[in-house]
């Protein structure tokens, strides 16, 4: 049997206590091996569904008679849109445990297989009344989706209207329920009301389980531009940076040239002042010479007399 690599930090002890108790029916070494593969399924299912699916198949080959393994295989197949396989695994897990927790997921698999009518039948089955509050809300979401699959938009909106939707308290399902209601309203052309419910979904979406903020921004006409990719005008951001740097360099060179020109002008002014000063001194010397000549001429005149 082909095994997949398990990171060293995965010990198998990360699994829930309920799953660990189920694995106690297996030999210790086998139980540890199965546990590690189940941990990898849980670790990868959101970011790498295909990888999670691979580990679920390994676990399934090792311990197909363990309900937790069948359930994990169902979730992995569901994440990869393998709805027929997911439905078979969920049914197997339900037979082993006798619980109805997987009922909404089974109904959604029917939707994925193009059988919305079957999903609606399951939404009206007695099993729904055995679900906890979270399961009942999930079943309502599936039923509304089935109505939309059948083109019954108004019926989908009515299906989602419930005390849970009207409640101001935030529960784990609140964001998804408000989001689904807003999406149904938008599909029915009621964009004003849809915006209101997308905004309410944003308020309740503390872990980012929906893209309600993006839908709200889209309705408000807000367009996001990745600054690291392109500018608003479609120009390469790096080119814009280089252009800006080049403009700064040109401005610095121009400022330097202007300062140099000012320095030359100052030197010219100083030279002119020096020239004027020399001319003044020369003029003074000429005046003195004239005075000396005049004094000498006067002395000569007095001697002759």
């Amino acid at each position: 049997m082909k095994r997949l690599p398990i990171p060293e930090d995965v010990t198998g002890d990360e699994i829930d206590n309920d799953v660990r108790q189920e694995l106690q029916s297996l030999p210790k070494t086998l139980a540890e091996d199965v546990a590690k593969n189940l941990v990898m399924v849980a670790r990868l299912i959101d970011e790498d569904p295909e990888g999670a699916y691979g580990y679920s198949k390994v676990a399934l080959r090792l311990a197909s008679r363990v309900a937790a393994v069948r359930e994990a295989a169902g979730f992995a197949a569901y994440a990869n849109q393998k709805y027929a396989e997911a439905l078979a695994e969920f049914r197997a897990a339900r037979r082993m445990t006798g619980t109805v927790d997987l009922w909404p997921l089974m109904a959604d698999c029917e939707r994925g297989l193009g059988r919305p009518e079957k999903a609606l039948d399951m939404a009206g089955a007695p099993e729904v009344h055995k679900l906890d509050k979270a399961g009942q809300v999930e079943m309502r979401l599936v039923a509304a989706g089935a109505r939309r699959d059948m083109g019954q938009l108004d019926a989908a909106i009515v299906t989602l209207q419930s005390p849970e939707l009207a409640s101001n308290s935030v529960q784990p399902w609140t964001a998804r329920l408000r989001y689904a209601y807003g999406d149904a309203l938008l599909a029915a052309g009621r964009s004003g009301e849809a915006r209101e419910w997308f905004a309410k979904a944003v308020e309740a979406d503390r872990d980012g389980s929906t893209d309600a903020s993006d839908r709200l921004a889209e309705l408000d006409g807000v367009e996001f531009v990745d600054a690291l990719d392109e500018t608003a005008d479609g120009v390469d951001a790096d080119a814009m940076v280089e252009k800006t740097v080049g403009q700064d360099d040109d401005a610095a060179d121009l400022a330097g040239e202007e300062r140099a020109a000012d320095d030359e002008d100052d030197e010219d002014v100083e030279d002119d002042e020096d020239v004027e000063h020399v001319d003044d001194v020369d003029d003074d010397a000429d005046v003195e010479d004239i005075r000396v000549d005049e004094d000498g001429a006067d002395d000569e005149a007095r001697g002759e007399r």
Side-chain angles (χ1 to χ4, degrees), residues 38 41 45 52-53 56-57 60 66-93 102 105-106 109:
L38 292 180
V41 173
I45 196 164
Y53 180 76
S56 73
K57 299 299 285 186
L60 194 59
V66 176
V69 172
R70 303 302 291 265
E71 183 175 329
F75 275 108
Y78 181 84
N80 284 274
Q81 299 181 2
K82 299 179 183 294
Y83 297 116
E85 186 175 338
L87 182 57
E89 297 300 338
F90 288 147
R91 284 174 174 171
L102 298 172
L105 282 167
M106 293 167 59
C109 286

Side-chain angles (χ1 to χ4, degrees), residues 6-291:
I6 303 292
E8 294 182 359
D9 63 321
V10 175
T11 64
D13 294 333
E14 299 89 344
I15 59 175
D16 294 336
N17 290 330
D18 293 341
V19 178
R20 184 177 293 108
Q21 289 179 0
E22 286 190 56
L23 295 180
Q24 288 179 355
S25 61
L26 302 174
K28 182 177 180 181
T29 302
L30 180 59
E32 292 176 354
D33 208 1
V34 173
K36 290 179 181 179
N37 280 277
L38 292 180
V39 170
M40 292 304 298
V41 173
R43 176 179 290 189
L44 298 176
I45 196 164
D46 291 329
E47 301 298 330
D48 182 12
E50 188 174 351
Y53 180 76
Y55 283 100
S56 73
K57 299 299 285 186
V58 174
L60 194 59
R61 287 195 298 268
L62 292 173
S64 61
R65 295 184 179 182
V66 176
V69 172
R70 303 302 291 265
E71 183 175 329
F75 275 108
Y78 181 84
N80 284 274
Q81 299 181 2
K82 299 179 183 294
Y83 297 116
E85 186 175 338
L87 182 57
E89 297 300 338
F90 288 147
R91 284 174 174 171
R94 179 171 177 267
R95 285 195 301 269
M96 293 176 180
T97 61
T99 64
V100 296
D101 296 344
L102 298 172
W103 194 256
L105 282 167
M106 293 167 59
D108 204 38
C109 286
E110 295 287 0
R111 283 187 60 212
L113 292 170
R115 301 194 292 253
E117 298 88 352
K118 179 62 175 177
L120 286 177
D121 288 342
M122 294 181 67
E127 284 82 356
V128 175
H129 300 291
K130 299 177 183 179
L131 295 169
D132 59 12
K133 182 62 67 176
Q136 291 178 3
V137 171
E138 193 67 33
M139 193 70 247
R140 189 178 294 274
L141 289 169
V142 173
R147 291 291 185 187
R148 291 187 60 176
D149 294 342
M150 299 168 65
Q152 302 173 2
L153 297 180
D154 290 338
I157 292 172
V158 173
T159 299
L160 293 169
Q161 293 172 349
S162 60
E164 293 81 17
L165 179 67
S167 175
N168 291 324
S169 64
V170 176
Q171 303 295 334
W173 60 79
T174 302
R176 294 180 60 243
L177 183 59
R178 292 177 179 179
Y179 180 92
Y181 191 59
D183 195 39
L185 289 169
L186 187 61
R190 297 159 62 176
S191 58
E193 295 173 81
R195 188 201 178 283
E196 176 186 350
W197 283 97
F198 280 133
K200 290 182 178 181
V202 170
E203 294 175 359
D205 196 359
R206 297 169 180 173
D207 57 357
S209 60
T210 72
D211 63 345
S213 59
D214 293 338
R215 300 295 298 278
L216 183 61
E218 183 180 351
L219 286 174
D220 290 340
V222 177
E223 182 178 356
F224 296 99
V225 177
D226 189 351
L228 298 178
D229 184 16
E230 294 181 349
T231 64
D233 294 330
V235 181
D236 186 6
D238 293 337
M240 288 294 293
V241 172
E242 292 177 359
K243 182 178 179 181
T244 302
V245 172
Q247 291 174 344
D248 293 342
D249 292 341
D250 292 341
D253 293 341
L254 180 60
E257 292 175 0
E258 291 178 350
R259 286 195 297 272
D262 292 339
D263 293 341
E264 290 178 0
D265 291 340
D266 292 340
E267 291 177 358
D268 291 341
V269 171
E270 292 176 357
D271 291 341
D272 292 341
E273 291 177 351
D274 292 341
V275 171
E276 291 177 357
H277 179 69
V278 171
D279 291 342
D280 292 341
V281 172
D282 292 342
D283 292 341
D284 293 340
D286 293 340
V287 171
E288 292 295 331
D289 291 341
I290 293 173
R291 289 176 180 172

